[in-house]
């Protein structure tokens, strides 16, 4: 139930349905989600550890502000962890997973050509989950999951005005292809190129 509460609250924060600066009512969340108070409280504590909310003793819980400087700091860590994750996925993916990565690469390229933002957003989520699964390292996965909420929220806030969809989708496709090919070095290099673009994207919102 804690996982369910976390996923429901996290998705609303990332999609900006719960806006930065909003003070959350634990009792209201319990009523809206139909989940008990203890799972909601534990979910909020988890979200606090990930930086999506700020727990204020005796004052409640507030959705954290979106901070570009912190986003750039986060990218410093993401570069290292995502490179490692892509390399290990290329090394450890099963034959079935390699086939899925090849199909993902084709779909990502198609979303770029069609300039289909909605398709890309769904494919991006599938890509992230597939890479985490294929890397087969619980500590990498744990680190990435702690970063993804903040990254996805920033992305969601800005992608329609600042995203170069064609470039971004093709960079994702490149990582997926290198993993599909089992090219460990190539997957790491492709991951770095993707993070280079995400740095540019982040700075362009200043």
């Amino acid at each position: 139930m804690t996982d369910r509460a976390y996923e429901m609250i996290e998705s609303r924060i990332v999609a900006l349905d719960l806006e930065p600066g909003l003070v959350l009512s634990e009792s209201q969340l319990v009523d809206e989600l139909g989940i008990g108070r203890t799972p909601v409280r534990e979910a909020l504590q988890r979200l606090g550890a990930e930086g999506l909310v700020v727990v204020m003793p005796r004052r409640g819980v507030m959705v954290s502000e979106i901070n570009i400087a912190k986003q750039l700091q986060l990218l410093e860590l993401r570069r290292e962890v995502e490179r490692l994750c892509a390399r290990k996925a290329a090394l450890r993916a099963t034959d079935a997973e390699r086939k899925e990565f090849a199909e993902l690469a084709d779909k990502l390229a198609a979303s770029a050509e069609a300039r289909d933002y909605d398709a890309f957003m769904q494919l991006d989520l599938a890509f992230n989950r597939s890479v985490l699964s294929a890397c087969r390292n619980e500590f990498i996965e744990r680190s990435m999951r702690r970063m993804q909420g903040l990254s996805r929220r920033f992305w969601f806030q800005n992608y329609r005005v600042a995203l170069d969809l064609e470039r971004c989708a093709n960079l994702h496709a490149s990582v997926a292809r290198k993993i599909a090919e089992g090219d460990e070095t190539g997957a790491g290099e492709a991951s770095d190129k993707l993070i280079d673009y995400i740095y540019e994207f982040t700075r362009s919102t200043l």
Side-chain angles (χ1 to χ4, degrees):
M1 294 302 289
T2 297
D3 288 342
R4 183 181 173 196
Y6 167 85
E7 289 171 3
M8 294 173 76
I9 300 169
E10 193 259 9
S11 66
R12 293 176 66 185
I13 292 173
V14 168
L16 303 176
D17 293 332
L18 298 175
E19 298 180 350
L22 178 68
V23 176
L24 302 177
S25 164
E26 188 177 288
S27 297
Q28 185 174 349
L29 287 171
V30 168
D31 292 339
E32 290 178 358
L33 302 179
I35 295 176
R37 185 175 297 275
T38 297
V40 167
R41 181 175 295 127
E42 290 173 349
L44 290 172
Q45 291 171 349
R46 181 173 163 188
L47 290 163
E50 294 177 4
L52 283 170
V53 303
V54 178
V55 179
M56 303 175 293
R58 296 181 298 278
R59 293 177 57 194
V61 178
M62 182 181 74
V63 179
S64 65
E65 299 290 346
I66 295 175
N67 185 304
I68 295 178
K70 288 186 178 181
Q71 192 69 24
L72 290 169
Q73 288 181 347
L74 182 66
L75 285 172
E76 292 179 2
L77 179 59
R78 274 189 62 188
R79 177 185 293 279
E80 305 303 320
V81 178
E82 289 203 16
R83 181 196 304 119
L84 179 61
C85 190
R87 287 174 60 90
K88 295 309 176 185
L91 178 67
R92 296 169 177 164
T94 65
D95 290 342
E97 286 171 332
R98 295 188 195 285
K99 182 179 178 182
E100 291 175 4
F101 277 112
E103 292 172 353
L104 263 176
D106 290 341
K107 290 177 181 178
L108 283 160
S111 74
E113 185 175 357
R115 301 193 61 78
D116 188 335
Y117 284 90
D118 292 335
F120 170 71
M121 294 298 283
Q122 293 299 317
L123 291 166
D124 178 54
L125 186 58
F127 168 83
N128 290 336
R129 288 174 174 170
S130 295
V131 177
L132 283 181
S133 177
C135 82
R136 290 183 171 77
N137 184 311
E138 65 176 288
F139 299 102
I140 293 176
E141 182 173 356
R142 193 177 302 165
S143 296
M144 284 300 301
R145 291 194 184 282
R146 288 177 68 90
M147 293 186 280
Q148 283 181 342
L150 286 172
S151 297
R152 285 171 47 231
R153 182 174 65 155
F154 184 84
W155 191 264
F156 195 93
Q157 182 191 46
N158 296 288
Y159 81 96
R160 288 197 178 274
V161 294
L163 179 67
D164 182 340
L165 176 61
E166 184 175 2
R167 183 179 173 194
C168 186
N170 281 321
L171 286 168
H172 278 80
S174 179
V175 180
R177 286 195 188 94
K178 294 302 181 182
I179 295 174
E181 294 166 3
D183 184 349
E184 186 177 353
T185 299
E189 292 172 349
S191 178
D192 277 345
K193 290 178 181 178
L194 175 57
I195 294 295
D196 285 342
Y197 168 70
I198 295 174
Y199 264 109
E200 292 178 27
F201 167 81
T202 303
R203 291 193 182 99
S204 74
T205 65
L206 289 170

